[in-house]
Amino acid sequence: MSASEFRHLSVMPKEVLAYLAPQSGEVFLDGTLGGGGHARLILEASAPDGRLIGLDRDPAALNKASEVLAPFGERAVLRHGNFAEANQILPMLGVDRVDGILLDLGVSSHQLDAEERGFSFRADAPLDMRMDTTAGQTAADVLESASAEELARIFREYGEERWAGRIARRIVATRTEKPLLTTGQLADLVRDTVPGGYKPARIHPATRVFQALRIHVNGELDHVAQGINRGLELLKPGGRMVVISFHSLEDRIVKQFFQRQAQSCICPPQLPYCSCGQKAKLEILTRKAVRASEEEIADNPRARSAVLRAARRLD
């Protein structure tokens, strides 16, 4: 995939800059670089000598970002990697702490639109779904090897699919005759399995199954939890963390983490004094979740589901 073919619209760019508040001389981590849109804005706002380290699991994203950020020269350092591994990658670059962290979670516009990636069932394509196409199991591998119980758990936990068990059993029965290798095969199977699958509906009945498989294949929720935990330790005092989520499971992890880290004491209320010794590490900057404006949603419909939360590292 050439860099020129990669397309990704950065969500809530004004809000990201407002909460990150980049200044000259500061160092930032963009853990989900994508096409480099947010990173470009951060580097512009932190001129003349702000620096940015950009990570992404998708080689196509890195290729595009390297073009977009080329004018910034050595101020932008890009690496192929998962943001959950930032605590290992940054020291290798001589960076111990950063002034700001951005995580724009989920899949990019390009990944959804690129038929060969298998994230969508708009066209019949290989069931891949990997953000990092160089490693790991594909969605087809999971459907071929996982038990009915495991598949049902995936669909239920990650997709909140009502008919998870029925769909899982149908997959296991079908694969004894022929493997499920394409998005069209899986979408048709789900539609044939769930009650009312052929009735006109606002969303296709396979939508939740595809979401669940994508989350499982990429270990997305585990990486969110690991990434924000490690990101907190990488922030300098006063450093800002901004996280954009696109579904409730991700947002719940971020919200609860911020709340826990903003507490100074977690002792039971009946204790007359604090014995836990916990000190608040974060100040929450977004009292309520921030959402995209109607104007932005009109230009970029995928921004409708975006939720932004921000926090500042305390001394």
Side-chain angles (χ1 to χ4, degrees):
M1 178 61 59
S2 69
S4 61
E5 294 176 291
F6 192 97
R7 182 178 67 85
H8 177 54
L9 298 176
S10 299
V11 173
M12 291 191 271
K14 294 179 182 178
E15 293 84 348
V16 167
L17 287 183
Y19 286 108
L20 279 181
Q23 301 293 321
S24 177
E26 293 186 325
V27 181
F28 295 88
L29 168 65
D30 186 340
T32 48
L33 190 61
H38 283 128
R40 176 178 59 81
L41 296 175
I42 293 168
L43 286 164
E44 289 174 350
S46 62
D49 57 357
R51 293 188 294 147
L52 179 135
I53 298 166
L55 307 179
D56 207 286
R57 304 168 68 181
D58 189 342
L62 285 172
N63 287 340
K64 176 60 178 178
S66 65
E67 287 186 0
V68 171
L69 304 179
F72 298 98
E74 295 181 354
R75 291 179 58 204
V77 177
L78 312 186
R79 291 291 185 271
H80 179 231
N82 191 318
F83 65 82
E85 302 165 345
N87 62 326
Q88 303 171 37
I89 297 172
L90 265 61
M92 292 190 291
L93 301 174
V95 176
D96 295 323
R97 297 288 186 269
V98 296
D99 298 281
I101 294 174
L102 171 63
L103 299 177
D104 182 0
L105 306 174
V107 293
S108 69
S109 301
H110 167 78
Q111 289 168 331
L112 288 169
D113 292 339
E115 295 177 0
E116 72 276 6
R117 301 295 293 271
F119 287 106
S120 171
F121 45 78
R122 286 194 297 269
D124 196 24
L127 269 170
D128 193 315
M129 297 194 187
R130 292 173 299 167
M131 292 181 183
D132 183 352
T133 55
T134 67
Q137 280 191 316
T138 66
D141 294 332
V142 174
L143 294 179
E144 180 62 26
S145 60
S147 66
E149 292 75 15
E150 176 66 4
L151 289 172
R153 183 194 65 80
I154 292 169
F155 301 152
R156 188 178 300 112
E157 289 187 11
Y158 300 151
E160 299 175 302
E161 172 55 57
R162 176 184 179 186
W163 305 105
R166 182 180 293 191
I167 295 168
R169 291 190 294 273
R170 181 69 175 273
I171 289 171
V172 171
T174 299
R175 75 190 187 195
T176 61
E177 301 176 3
K178 60 178 180 180
L180 291 166
L181 300 176
T182 71
T183 57
Q185 285 178 292
L186 179 59
D188 289 346
L189 180 147
V190 175
R191 186 186 58 195
D192 294 342
T193 303
V194 303
Y198 282 87
K199 292 181 180 179
R202 192 163 61 91
I203 63 171
H204 192 286
T207 300
R208 288 180 291 272
V209 168
F210 270 71
Q211 173 187 289
L213 266 179
R214 188 203 82 215
I215 291 173
H216 175 76
V217 165
N218 295 288
E220 293 178 38
L221 299 187
D222 289 339
H223 292 152
V224 171
Q226 294 167 12
I228 57 179
N229 269 284
R230 291 166 182 170
L232 172 60
E233 300 307 317
L234 290 171
L235 279 177
K236 297 177 182 177
R240 290 78 64 196
M241 181 187 296
V242 175
V243 185
I244 302 174
S245 308
F246 286 85
H247 60 71
S248 60
L249 298 176
E250 291 173 337
D251 182 54
R252 188 180 306 141
I253 293 172
V254 178
K255 177 182 178 180
Q256 293 176 351
F257 175 78
F258 281 4
Q259 289 175 338
R260 286 195 306 272
Q261 298 301 330
Q263 288 182 299
S264 294
C265 176
I266 57 174
C267 292
Q270 63 268 25
L271 284 183
Y273 60 89
C274 175
S275 63
C276 70
Q278 176 163 309
K279 303 293 184 182
K281 294 182 178 180
L282 287 178
E283 174 193 2
I284 298 175
L285 302 178
T286 47
R287 188 173 63 87
K288 293 183 178 180
V290 178
R291 296 185 178 274
S293 66
E294 290 300 321
E295 181 181 3
E296 179 177 357
I297 292 170
D299 292 334
N300 180 16
R302 286 176 179 151
R304 183 179 303 278
S305 58
V307 175
L308 182 150
R309 297 187 187 272
R312 182 176 69 88
R313 177 72 193 250
L314 297 174
D315 293 342

